Amino acid sequence: MGPQSSGKSTLLNYVFGTSFMMMDAMAGRGQTTKGIWMSKSPKVTETTVLVMDLEGSDGRERGEDDTNFERQSALFALSVADVLLVNIWCHDIGREHGSGKPLLKTIFQVNLKLFAPEPDRKRTVLLFVIRDKTRTPLPKLVEVLEADLDRMWDSIAKPPKYEGSKLKDFFEVQYAALSHFEERYEDFQADAVHLRRRFSPDNEETLIRGDEKLPGDTFAFSIRKIWDVIRAQKDLNLPAHKVMVANIRCQEILEDQLRSFTEDQAWKSLQEASSSGIVEGFGKRAHDLMESCVLGYESEARYFDAHVRLAKLEELQQRLLAVLQPVYQSQVTAQQAAILAAFDKELKLAAMEGGGLHGSFVAAAAACRMEAIAAFDKAFSKHLRIDGTPWDVAAESMSLAEVLDSRISGVRSREVLLATERAEQQLASLVSSPVIGLLDACSLGMWPRLYAVCGEAAAVADKDLSRALKGYGLSKKEEEGLSERLRHRATANMQSHVREAALTRLSRMKDRFADVFSLDDKKSPRMWGPSDNIPAIAQKARRAAASVLSQLAVIRPPDEEGNEQGDAIDAAVMQLAQGSLTSTPNANDTAVLTRQSSAASSSSVICPTLPASRATSALDVLSAATWPGADASQVLLQPHDVRTTWREFMSYSNVVVQQALSTQQANRLANNRLPPLWALGAMLVLGWNEFMAVLFNPVYLIIAALVVLFLRSLYLELDVEREMAAGPLPGVLRLSHKFVPACHSVVRKSQDAVLSMFGSAPELKPSRSASYAVASDQQGQEGRRRPSSSSPAMVEFTDLRREAKKDQ
C-alpha cells in the first residue's frame, strides 16, 4: 500500500516477478492500478506467495471526498496479508500526510474494533519500504518512523480490553531501503533481489512465518467474508478535510449564535412578559429575534461547504424552535384560557336558560363553540403567528376545538346527571308512600302491585326527565339507558323497603294480627261482647299475619316464573299456619266453629286460604332448608327463619287471645249481675202497688214480659256496649241512627221465632239444658247463638290457654 504513482506495481514486479501494469512515465502521471489485483510470485519458488497490488491512495481521480475505498482496501490488505509492504518515499518521512500516517491510524483503529486480534498470537509483518534513499542513514530514518508509529498507536481509540497494549503486540515492524529507480537503476535491481531473498524460508532475515497456515481451498471463502465485513463498517467512511473543517466551524458559529439569542435582552424581556400573561404582537417580536439569529449565522458561515452550511442552518432553526416553543406554547395556552373563560360563562348561561334564544342547549353550545374558535383564530393571526415556523392556526384551533368539545360534553353530562338525580329523588318519593302502604297490609298478591307501583312511578319520573332534558340532544340509546336506569332505581327502592320490612317481620305480623283481631270492621276497638266469636276472629287474624310472613320471605321477580315461585312459597307458609291453627275438635265444637266461621266470612279483611290441591303439594317448611328455585340474593327469610318467626308469633297471639276470652267472660258476668239488695228493696217498697196490679192482672203481666223481652233483644241488636265504647256523644248518635232499623229487625225476628215455635211445638224433644239469646250484628247479619258458660267457646279458651302454656 502507498500513495498513487509511487511505484508500488514496479516494486512488486521487480521483487516477486509479477506482471502488474506499471505507469508509463512518458504518457504522463496518473492512475494505473484501479481496485485490488492478485498474482502468484513466479520468482519465489520455495513457498507459494500470493501478491496483491492495491490501488494507490490520495489519487486525484477519486478526489478528496471519495476516500472510502482506499481505507477499505488498506484494511483488507492488513487483515489478509502475512506481510504488508508500506511503500513510502524517503523525503516524506517526518511528514503527517505524505507518509500516510492518517490512513495507517484509521486502519489500525478499525482493525482492533472489527477483528479483535489476540496479542502475540499472529503478528502481521509491517515492512516499510523506503524508496529513493538518500545519504540519511537508515537507522535515523527508522528512529523517526518508530517514534511516529508509537505516537500514532497511543493516540488511537482502543477497545477497553486493549488499553495499555503496544504496537509490537500485534505487528512485527521491519524496514528496507531501495535506491532511486531512474537515477540508480542497477542499484535498485540489486536491492530488489536482496529484498526477494527475505521471502525465502531459509534466509536469516526471512519474513515468512510458519505458524497458522490457511488451507488453500478455504482461502477464497475467507477473504470474501473479510471483504463483506469491511464494506459494512461505517467507521471507514470518513469525510474529506474541507467537510470536516466546515462541520467544526459551522457548529461553532451555530453555538455562538444560539448563545447570543438566549442571552439577548429582548428575548429575556419577551420571556418575562410571556410568563405574566398575553403579550400583544408576540409572533412578530419572536420572528424578528429568530431572523436576526439566522442572518448572523449565514453571514459567518457563507464561505464553508454548502451542504454542511445548510445542514447546520436547519439544525440552528430546529434548536431555535426548541428554545422558542415553551414560550410560544405558554402564549397559546394563555389565549386559549381567555377564550375558554368566556366560553364557559356563555355555556353556563345557556345551560341555565335551557338554550336561551337558540332554543336548545345543543344549538346554544354550537353557537358558543363557533364564536370561541373564530375569536381564537383572530387572536392567533394578530398576536401568535410566527412566519417561517411550522406552527399554524389549524393545529392550535383543532386542539382548542377538542377542549371546547370536552367542555360541552362535560356540561351536558353534568346537566343530564343533575336532572337524573332530581328524577331519582322524585322517583323515591313516588315509590316510598305506596310501597309502605302495601307493606303495611302485606296481603296476598302484593308483589304484582308493588311492581305496578314501580312501573307507574318510573313512567312519571321518565316523563318529567324527558321534559327536563329536551334540547340536550340525547340519542335514542341514551334515552333508553336513562329509562332503564329509572326502572332499576324504582325496583331497587322498592326492594330496599321490602328488605327493611323483612327485618321487622315479627312486629308487622303483630300489627297485622292486632288490626284484624282487636279492631272491628269500622276500625273501632272491639269490646269483646257476648256476641263476638273470638276463636273465628283469631283464626282470621292469624291467617292475615301468615300472609305477611309469606310475602316477606322472598323477593319475587315480575315474570311468570316469579309468580309461580311466589305461589309455592305462599302455599308453604300458609300450610305451616294452617297446621298450627287446626286441631281435633269434637262434634259440638265443630258445629259451633262452623257457625262462627260463616258469621265471620262477611268481614272486610281478606283472610287467605289454601286450595286443596295447593295445600297438598306445597313445600314443607318444617323440613326445608332453602326455597327451591329461589335466587340466593333474593331470599329475605330462609325456611328456618319462617319457622322461628311463626313460633314467636303464635306465642304472642295465644296470649292476646287468652286476654280477649278473659275480657269477654268478664263482660258476660258483668251483664248478668243482679242489682244491689237495697235497690231491690226500694223497688219492692215503691213499686208494690204496681207489682200487685200487674201480678193480679194477666194482661198487664203478659205485656210487661213482652216489653222486657223486646227491650232485651233491642239492647243486644243495638250492641249498646260496643257503640258507647267510642264515647257518649258518638255512641248516642250511632244508636239513634240504628234505633229504627233495629226495632224492625227485633220485631221481624220475634215474629219468625213465634211462628217457628208454634209450627214445631209438637215435634220438640228434650235436649240438654242450654239457653241462647238471639242477637244480630249492625249490618243485619243472621242471628248467632251466644253460648253459656259451659259452651264450646270455653272449651276453645281452655285449649288456647293450654297451648300458650306449652309455647311458654
Side-chain angles (χ1 to χ4, degrees), residues 4 29-31 59-63:
Q4 179 177 302
R29 304 186 68 85
Q31 187 182 45
R60 65 180 180 85
E61 284 77 11
R62 290 189 179 271

Side-chain angles (χ1 to χ4, degrees), residues 90-128:
C90 181
H91 56 267
D92 285 335
I93 296 175
R95 296 178 179 176
E96 186 68 24
H97 294 281
S99 59
K101 287 193 294 184
L103 179 59
L104 285 175
K105 181 178 179 180
T106 301
I107 64 175
F108 285 164
Q109 180 174 332
V110 176
N111 181 67
L112 290 178
K113 175 183 177 182
L114 195 60
F115 296 103
E118 297 183 11
D120 297 328
R121 180 177 179 183
K122 179 185 177 182
R123 298 194 301 170
T124 302
V125 177
L126 293 181
L127 178 59
F128 285 89

Side-chain angles (χ1 to χ4, degrees), residues 714-725 731 735 738:
L714 183 62
Y715 181 83
L716 296 175
E717 183 72 21
L718 291 174
D719 200 0
V720 176
E721 295 177 359
R722 178 178 297 178
E723 298 296 341
M724 294 302 293
L735 292 174
K738 294 172 57 179

Side-chain angles (χ1 to χ4, degrees), residues 367-527:
C368 294
R369 180 181 184 275
M370 187 179 300
E371 293 176 1
I373 293 178
F376 178 76
D377 291 346
K378 182 178 179 181
F380 187 92
S381 300
K382 184 176 181 181
H383 302 295
L384 298 177
R385 184 185 302 278
I386 303 176
D387 296 333
T389 62
W391 305 325
D392 57 353
V393 68
E396 303 300 341
S397 296
M398 185 179 299
S399 64
L400 176 63
E402 293 177 356
V403 177
L404 294 175
D405 292 338
S406 65
R407 296 287 180 92
I408 294 174
S409 177
V411 173
R412 178 178 177 272
S413 300
R414 184 168 60 253
E415 293 297 325
V416 171
L417 180 60
L418 292 176
T420 305
E421 290 177 352
R422 290 193 296 268
E424 290 178 349
Q425 294 175 358
Q426 177 189 6
L427 181 66
S429 62
L430 291 174
V431 169
S432 296
S433 180
V435 168
I436 292 174
L438 290 173
L439 290 176
D440 289 339
C442 272
S443 58
L444 292 178
M446 176 189 70
W447 283 98
R449 299 173 66 185
L450 287 176
Y451 283 110
V453 169
C454 293
E456 294 174 0
V460 173
D462 187 26
K463 184 177 180 180
D464 294 341
L465 180 61
S466 300
R467 188 183 304 112
L469 296 180
K470 184 179 180 181
Y472 281 87
L474 295 179
S475 63
K476 188 69 175 178
K477 185 177 180 180
E478 289 176 326
E479 292 178 354
E480 294 176 354
L482 291 176
S483 300
E484 186 68 20
R485 176 177 176 177
L486 291 177
R487 288 193 291 269
H488 284 301
R489 189 68 176 181
T491 304
N493 288 337
M494 179 268 292
Q495 293 182 357
S496 176
H497 286 293
V498 174
R499 293 181 185 276
E500 292 178 0
L503 297 176
T504 58
R505 56 189 178 276
L506 183 59
S507 62
R508 290 178 178 272
M509 293 173 65
K510 293 179 180 179
D511 293 341
R512 184 61 176 158
F513 177 81
D515 290 341
V516 178
F517 185 75
S518 300
L519 301 178
D520 59 7
D521 298 337
K522 296 182 179 180
K523 301 302 178 182
S524 299
R526 297 183 188 272
M527 300 305 298

Side-chain angles (χ1 to χ4, degrees), residues 168-355:
K168 63 181 180 180
D169 295 335
F170 301 95
F171 301 100
E172 179 183 348
V173 183
Q174 298 288 338
Y175 302 94
L178 298 180
S179 301
H180 199 284
F181 177 74
E182 295 179 353
E183 296 180 0
R184 300 174 61 181
Y185 179 72
E186 292 79 5
D187 294 339
F188 175 82
Q189 288 181 326
D191 294 336
V193 172
H194 181 267
L195 182 59
R196 183 189 309 140
R197 293 173 180 172
R198 296 182 65 178
F199 287 91
S200 176
D202 299 331
N203 191 277
E204 295 180 357
E205 299 179 354
T206 182
L207 300 175
I208 302 300
R209 305 293 180 257
D211 50 351
E212 296 191 7
K213 294 294 185 179
L214 186 66
D217 56 352
T218 60
F219 178 71
F221 176 78
S222 176
I223 62 175
R224 185 185 304 113
K225 290 299 182 181
I226 292 175
W227 179 253
D228 292 339
V229 173
I230 290 174
R231 291 194 62 183
Q233 181 55 239
K234 300 300 182 183
D235 290 347
L236 298 174
N237 190 14
L238 299 178
H241 179 71
K242 68 174 184 178
V243 175
M244 296 177 63
V245 173
N247 277 317
I248 295 174
R249 282 296 299 137
C250 290
Q251 184 67 32
E252 292 176 352
I253 296 172
L254 182 152
E255 297 294 341
D256 292 340
Q257 292 297 326
L258 191 62
R259 190 182 307 107
S260 300
F261 177 83
T262 55
E263 294 177 356
D264 192 351
Q265 189 62 34
W267 167 247
K268 292 182 178 180
S269 62
L270 184 61
Q271 279 184 307
E272 294 177 359
S274 299
S275 62
S276 302
I278 298 176
V279 179
E280 295 185 358
F282 171 82
K284 186 177 183 306
R285 295 171 62 180
H287 175 266
D288 293 342
L289 291 173
M290 289 181 61
E291 187 69 20
S292 175
C293 182
V294 170
L295 291 177
Y297 169 82
E298 290 181 342
S299 63
E300 294 188 29
R302 58 187 299 183
Y303 299 106
F304 296 101
D305 184 78
H307 295 287
V308 177
R309 184 179 71 250
L310 294 178
K312 294 299 180 180
L313 176 60
E314 183 177 357
E315 181 183 350
L316 174 63
Q317 291 174 343
Q318 294 298 325
R319 294 180 66 175
L320 286 174
L321 291 178
V323 174
L324 183 61
Q325 198 272 339
V327 184
Y328 164 79
Q329 195 60 46
S330 67
Q331 285 298 297
V332 172
T333 303
Q335 288 287 354
Q336 290 181 349
I339 298 296
L340 289 174
F343 172 79
D344 290 340
K345 183 178 180 181
E346 295 294 333
L347 188 63
K348 183 178 180 181
L349 184 62
M352 294 175 60
E353 297 178 353

